[in-house]
Amino acid sequence: NRTFNAGHTIDTTIKVLNWSPNARVDINFSDFEMLRINYRGRTSQPGISQMMPIPDNSNPQRVKLGNLGLSPYFTHNMEVMYRTTNVRNYASLNAHINLTYNTSSIVNASWYDRSGVQYTVPMNNDKGSYSANTFIMFNTPIAKSKFSIMSFTMGNFSTGVSFVGKEGIVSDDAASYLNPDSYTRNGYKNVSAAENLRLTYRDDIFEIALGGGTRYSQAFYSV
């Protein structure tokens, strides 16, 4: 590949190995109960715009820089799903958990110069990041009546990082703005949960439902 920097061409050759392992296990306890575990791995490449060592100053107040040293990042993903149905009373339970872990993910590093211009450059996060989300849905009739109740619960937790520039970064010196020591690591965590509950009356003529939901979320930052 040929890239350009300060009016000069640079011959750049980057070779990477991509691999995508997959594995799945299905356990059928009966015709009405099953468990599935699914793992997927994926390699992702940085984009051309992220690596191009030419400032993107289409917005003079928010200049984007490239990083030729970006490495591919790898994503591990595991899904666990459990489903069961009670054929005697028609109650059902469906639970799902999704776990994701990213290694060397690409995140933004940013800083401001003395004139107030914001500079941003992508960098690899060597600490990794992860997320977990789950939902549980339960539906059951109430005794032998025409009423039923449904509960839907969700939860999410994720982590990440960005880099906040210190004073003294030189925007036209790659050795300065690509140096990890020029930044303060800003770690963050996001937590959220939600619950929806519904009561339903159903017969051969009409259906009436009454329900409500609530949601909680909060973010935590180290900087």
Side-chain angles (χ1 to χ4, degrees):
N1 301 312
R2 297 180 66 82
T3 57
F4 301 85
N5 187 17
H8 302 283
T9 60
I10 304 172
D11 290 326
T12 303
T13 301
I14 300 175
K15 296 181 179 180
V16 297
L17 173 65
N18 297 319
W19 60 297
S20 300
N22 292 271
R24 194 177 87 176
V25 176
D26 289 342
I27 304 176
N28 295 311
F29 301 102
S30 68
D31 292 339
F32 309 101
E33 184 180 15
M34 64 86 66
L35 173 68
R36 172 174 293 172
I37 303 174
N38 190 21
Y39 167 81
R40 295 190 301 271
R42 183 180 72 254
T43 303
S44 300
Q45 308 298 322
I48 294 298
S49 61
Q50 293 176 310
M51 301 184 68
M52 190 71 69
I54 300 175
D56 176 4
N57 57 3
S58 55
N59 183 344
Q61 296 300 314
R62 296 179 179 273
V63 179
K64 298 179 181 179
L65 302 172
N67 182 358
L68 266 177
L70 286 177
S71 301
Y73 61 95
F74 195 86
T75 301
H76 302 271
N77 178 260
M78 177 173 289
E79 293 179 292
V80 180
M81 183 181 68
Y82 174 76
R83 183 170 62 239
T84 182
T85 301
N86 188 324
V87 294
R88 293 183 178 180
N89 59 10
Y90 299 102
S92 62
L93 173 67
N94 192 342
H96 183 271
I97 300 175
N98 190 299
L99 305 172
T100 301
Y101 178 68
N102 296 307
T103 60
S104 298
S105 56
I106 298 175
V107 300
N108 284 328
S110 61
W111 72 96
Y112 290 87
D113 65 10
R114 293 183 178 180
S115 61
V117 176
Q118 183 189 48
Y119 291 86
T120 303
V121 62
M123 299 182 69
N124 287 106
N125 171 29
D126 58 351
K127 298 297 183 181
S129 61
Y130 59 91
S131 65
N133 60 76
T134 181
F135 74 80
I136 300 174
M137 185 176 65
F138 178 68
N139 186 69
T140 182
I142 300 177
K144 295 183 179 181
S145 68
K146 296 181 179 180
F147 289 92
S148 65
I149 189 170
M150 189 276 290
S151 171
F152 187 79
T153 306
M154 294 186 297
N156 177 270
F157 178 78
S158 62
T159 68
V161 69
S162 62
F163 296 96
V164 180
K166 303 176 183 178
E167 293 185 2
I169 297 179
V170 181
S171 59
D172 58 358
D173 182 6
S176 174
Y177 63 75
L178 294 180
N179 184 0
D181 295 333
S182 298
Y183 302 90
T184 299
R185 185 184 299 270
N186 179 25
Y188 62 86
K189 299 177 181 179
N190 291 315
V191 179
S192 65
E195 168 65 24
N196 289 274
L197 192 65
R198 185 174 66 192
L199 176 68
T200 303
Y201 174 84
R202 182 185 297 109
D203 63 15
D204 296 335
I205 301 177
F206 62 90
E207 177 180 312
I208 299 175
L210 177 66
T214 183
R215 182 175 179 84
Y216 166 83
S217 63
Q218 187 166 355
F220 305 88
Y221 299 89
S222 62
V223 178

